[in-house]
């Protein structure tokens, strides 16, 4: 029994900060404001404004996950496989470990100060080169701006997750392909990418869930200017007289279902890829 004491804090944290809050949200989604059970909160998710908020959140999450996967994969593969100085590996992984957890208000402030309407780069391009990013359609406080902001932690997260998979590619596979007359392109198309494909798709699913559940960064960056699910959820449960906490719980339940589906896909694909990489 004593051997379980070491993992007791883990179970305490999981119960207090994951299981119980989730159950509280699920129950609240089916409760009326004055008490009693109802399906109205779930049915109210069919409102056009809520559907639009979910759709914008899905688009932002998808594109930030896709771009994060592509860029992160290229950066990790450059260091692990493609001959870039391997001394960059440890600094890259160290930075990725820090940047993947850099979010919320500090990240929003950093991008506002850099790429906002009066940001450092925005003003520099305008004064030195006559380039008006606003005239070119750039707006940090939009879905495109949110995607770019999310890439700051999506790319490092991709690097951290895909690096072990790249390490798992055996040199013997490349040598065997070369002996059989395969070019480098054929090796990647017929051997490496089919093996890595489940890992890449799993990483994209995880990055999608990571972006879809990001609340603090979106609220701090755009506020009410952008209609996405996390901001709409915050507006319902923050305590204003116009808010409806139970509708907020229903919104949160919908987000839980979507992120749970993405995470389940990641776990399944990860298990498939590990059979090749062991």
């Amino acid at each position: 029994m004593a051997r379980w004491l070491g993992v007791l804090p883990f179970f305490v944290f999981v119960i207090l900060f994951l299981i119980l809050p989730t159950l509280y949200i699920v129950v609240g989604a089916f409760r009326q404001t004055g008490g009693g059970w109802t399906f109205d909160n779930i049915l109210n998710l069919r409102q056009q404004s809520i559907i639009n908020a979910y759709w914008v959140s899905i688009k932002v999450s998808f594109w930030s996950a896709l771009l994060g996967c592509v860029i992160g994969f290229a950066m990790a593969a450059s260091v692990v496989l493609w001959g870039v100085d391997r001394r960059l590996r440890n600094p890259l992984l160290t930075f990725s470990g820090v940047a993947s957890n850099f979010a919320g208000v500090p990240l929003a402030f950093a991008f506002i100060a850099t790429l906002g309407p009066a940001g450092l780069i925005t003003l520099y391009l305008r004064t030195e080169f006559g380039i008006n990013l606003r005239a070119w359609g750039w707006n940090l406080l939009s879905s495109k701006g949110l995607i770019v902001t999310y890439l700051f932690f999506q790319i490092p997260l991709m690097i951290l997750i895909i690096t072990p998979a790249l390490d798992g590619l055996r040199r013997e596979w490349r040598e065997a392909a070369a002996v059989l007359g395969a070019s480098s392109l054929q090796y990647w198309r017929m051997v490496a990418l089919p093996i890595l494909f489940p890992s890449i798709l799993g990483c994209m699913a995880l990055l999608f869930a990571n972006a879809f559940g990001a609340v603090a960064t979106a609220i701090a960056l755009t506020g009410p200017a952008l209609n996405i699910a996390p901001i709409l959820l915050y507006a319902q449960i923050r305590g204003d007289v116009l808010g409806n906490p139970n509708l907020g719980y229903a919104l949160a339940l919908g987000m839980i279902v979507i992120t749970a589906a993405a995470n389940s896909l990641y776990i399944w694909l990860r298990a498939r890829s590990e059979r090749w990489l062991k």
Side-chain angles (χ1 to χ4, degrees):
M1 191 65 178
R3 61 184 178 180
W4 288 94
L5 292 178
V7 294
L8 181 61
F10 166 76
F11 290 111
V12 172
F13 276 103
V14 168
I15 293 172
L16 290 180
F17 298 104
L18 182 60
I19 296 177
L20 291 182
T22 301
L23 292 177
Y24 185 79
I25 289 172
V26 173
V27 172
F30 295 95
R31 298 283 290 182
Q32 297 176 349
T33 303
W37 300 95
T38 182
F39 281 97
D40 289 344
N41 299 318
I42 304 299
L43 296 177
N44 286 335
L45 295 180
R46 298 179 299 175
Q47 297 177 25
Q48 192 59 46
S49 61
I50 295 178
I51 294 175
N52 292 339
Y54 272 115
W55 179 237
V56 174
S57 294
I58 290 173
K59 289 194 296 183
V60 169
S61 302
F62 172 80
W63 284 110
S64 68
L66 179 62
L67 293 174
C69 276
V70 173
I71 300 172
F73 179 85
M75 293 175 66
S78 297
V79 175
V80 177
L81 300 174
W82 294 343
V84 175
D85 195 338
R86 294 183 65 87
R87 289 177 296 182
L88 292 175
R89 177 184 174 118
N90 288 336
L92 178 63
L93 293 178
T94 301
F95 171 78
S96 298
V98 175
S100 61
N101 292 286
F102 185 67
V105 176
L107 178 62
F109 173 77
F111 270 82
I112 291 173
T114 305
L115 290 171
L120 177 65
I121 293 179
T122 305
L123 295 179
Y124 179 78
L125 292 176
R126 185 186 304 166
T127 56
E128 298 296 328
F129 301 99
I131 299 176
N132 188 345
L133 295 179
R134 187 80 177 191
W136 286 23
W138 168 251
N139 181 13
L140 183 64
L141 309 181
S142 66
S143 58
K144 293 181 181 178
L146 195 58
I147 291 171
V148 173
T149 304
Y150 281 0
L151 287 178
F152 188 88
F153 56 79
Q154 294 282 66
I155 294 173
L157 183 59
M158 177 63 178
I159 293 173
L160 291 176
I161 298 172
I162 203 64
T163 296
L166 293 173
D167 285 330
L169 289 177
R170 299 177 184 176
R171 182 179 301 176
E172 293 85 351
W173 297 341
R174 178 184 288 272
E175 294 173 350
V179 168
L180 294 174
S183 64
S184 179
L185 180 61
Q186 288 174 323
Y187 164 74
W188 275 97
R189 181 169 59 88
M190 298 179 179
V191 180
L193 284 180
I195 293 173
L196 291 173
F197 192 64
S199 292
I200 295 173
L201 282 183
C203 290
M204 185 170 176
L206 183 62
L207 264 60
F208 176 90
N210 188 46
F212 193 82
V215 179
T217 302
I219 293 175
L221 183 68
T222 66
L226 188 62
N227 183 34
I228 62 175
I231 294 178
L232 190 61
L233 167 63
Y234 175 76
Q236 296 296 327
I237 66 174
R238 64 184 175 180
D240 292 354
V241 293
L242 298 178
N244 183 351
N246 294 102
L247 179 60
Y249 295 145
L251 280 164
L253 179 59
M255 293 181 64
I256 290 173
V257 171
I258 294 174
T259 53
N263 283 317
S264 299
L265 179 62
Y266 164 72
I267 294 172
W268 179 69
L269 290 170
R270 187 74 177 182
R272 286 180 58 88
S273 66
E274 286 178 354
R275 291 186 301 178
W276 282 96
L277 298 174
K278 286 182 179 179

